[in-house]
Amino acid sequence: MLPKLFHITPSGAAGLLFAAFAFFIVPALAGSLWLNVFTSMGCFTLATAGVAFMYARLGMVSLTQVGLMGVGGWVMLRLNHGFDLPFEVNMVIAGLATMVLGWVLALPALRLRGLYLALVTLMAAGGLEIILSTFQFPNGGSGFWGVQTGSGAEFRRPALTQSPEAYLRYVVAMVTLGFLFIELHRRLAPGRAWALIRRSEAAAMAAGVNVTFYKAWAFGISGLLAGGAGALLAGSLGLLDGGTFRASESVMLFALAVVGGARFWLGAVGGRDGPSG
């Protein structure tokens, strides 16, 4: 018998089959327009997975996820135009940047919950929307913000992802890794700690669980996935616009994830149709 860590549930098997279908079949059948649509959907699916897992495991509502995607996309574009680093390195840095920002957002989560936490994260999303709309996204210009008038510089993708079909497969692979990353945490010590915290913070503390640490950890993971999603979206479009990352889109993303089923991978896939549409 396989250890519990490697046990595949029926839901997990269905998710892997869906990922295989999206990787092998969809790029071969979809036209050029739908390839771009499916790629954007994949990026938002990764971001939705982060906010859905945090709600399912801890009951915490974060309405900043799309704003964090914008931050990840901004960092990705700035690194792409300003430094000669590989795509994957830029994506990791973008994810780490939003992870740190997720930890900052976790500070009010240590004392707030429910509606109050949702309001605080929504205010943060509104602030990010204003910043991204005001300063715009880097397009190859000079200076810290990297913005220039006219057409921007070309975005550099990995050599193996130059075609739309190849990049869609790349996004599907990254999204699958994101789901596996969440599932790994769920099956190890963090998952057990989150289950105790969701049931009763007092009981969790009595059992020796560091509630502050594991709440911050959850926000960091959610931020990491949002940053990676924003970086992948920047790679898909080559140029981002502040209007894509409105605070209202974070609300829609969370709502669709909950309606779809936050505890299951299908809930995150169902939430893809919000901001990406």
Side-chain angles (χ1 to χ4, degrees):
M1 180 180 294
L2 288 174
K4 185 178 179 181
L5 179 62
F6 302 102
H7 177 68
I8 301 178
T9 64
S11 176
L16 291 175
L17 287 174
F18 183 85
F21 174 80
F23 186 91
F24 292 106
I25 306 301
V26 173
L29 297 180
S32 57
L33 174 62
W34 283 105
L35 285 172
N36 294 329
V37 171
F38 289 141
T39 301
S40 297
M41 287 166 55
C43 297
F44 279 97
T45 295
L46 183 60
T48 308
V51 73
F53 116 85
M54 201 161 59
Y55 179 73
R57 301 303 160 195
L58 284 165
M60 294 193 302
V61 177
S62 176
L63 302 180
T64 322
Q65 199 73 347
V66 174
L68 291 176
M69 279 188 68
V71 174
W74 190 95
V75 174
M76 183 68 172
L77 289 170
R78 190 68 192 90
L79 292 173
N80 176 81
H81 295 309
F83 304 92
D84 190 20
L85 297 173
F87 181 92
E88 288 77 13
V89 173
N90 292 340
M91 183 168 59
V92 169
I93 295 175
L96 292 177
T98 51
M99 174 184 278
V100 173
L101 188 53
W103 284 333
V104 173
L105 293 175
L107 296 177
L110 306 181
R111 294 183 177 274
L112 301 176
R113 65 186 67 184
L115 176 62
Y116 299 103
L117 176 59
L119 290 175
V120 169
T121 55
L122 184 59
M123 290 172 60
L128 291 175
E129 177 185 347
I130 293 173
I131 293 173
L132 294 174
S133 297
T134 301
F135 295 99
Q136 296 301 315
F137 287 85
N139 60 356
S142 59
F144 174 78
W145 297 106
V147 178
Q148 65 181 6
T149 57
S151 59
E154 184 179 359
F155 189 94
R156 292 178 286 104
R157 285 184 185 174
L160 297 177
T161 62
Q162 295 301 309
S163 68
E165 295 85 356
Y167 193 77
L168 174 56
R169 290 189 173 96
Y170 186 87
V171 169
V172 171
M174 292 298 104
V175 173
T176 304
L177 288 177
F179 277 101
L180 293 176
F181 183 69
I182 293 174
E183 184 63 17
L184 180 64
H185 277 78
R186 188 186 71 82
R187 298 189 180 200
L188 296 177
R192 295 190 290 271
W194 291 331
L196 276 173
I197 294 171
R198 181 177 175 85
R199 180 171 300 230
S200 171
E201 290 190 17
M205 288 187 287
V209 174
N210 189 330
V211 174
T212 300
F213 174 78
Y214 282 107
K215 278 190 173 183
W217 193 332
F219 265 95
I221 291 175
S222 181
L224 175 69
L225 296 177
L232 290 171
L233 187 64
S236 172
L237 302 178
L239 182 64
L240 298 176
D241 180 77
T244 305
F245 306 100
R246 297 188 298 269
S248 59
E249 301 290 5
S250 290
V251 178
M252 181 68 71
L253 194 77
F254 173 78
L256 290 173
V258 172
V259 171
R263 287 185 174 273
F264 306 99
W265 62 269
L266 186 58
V269 175
R272 74 202 184 281
D273 291 326
S276 62

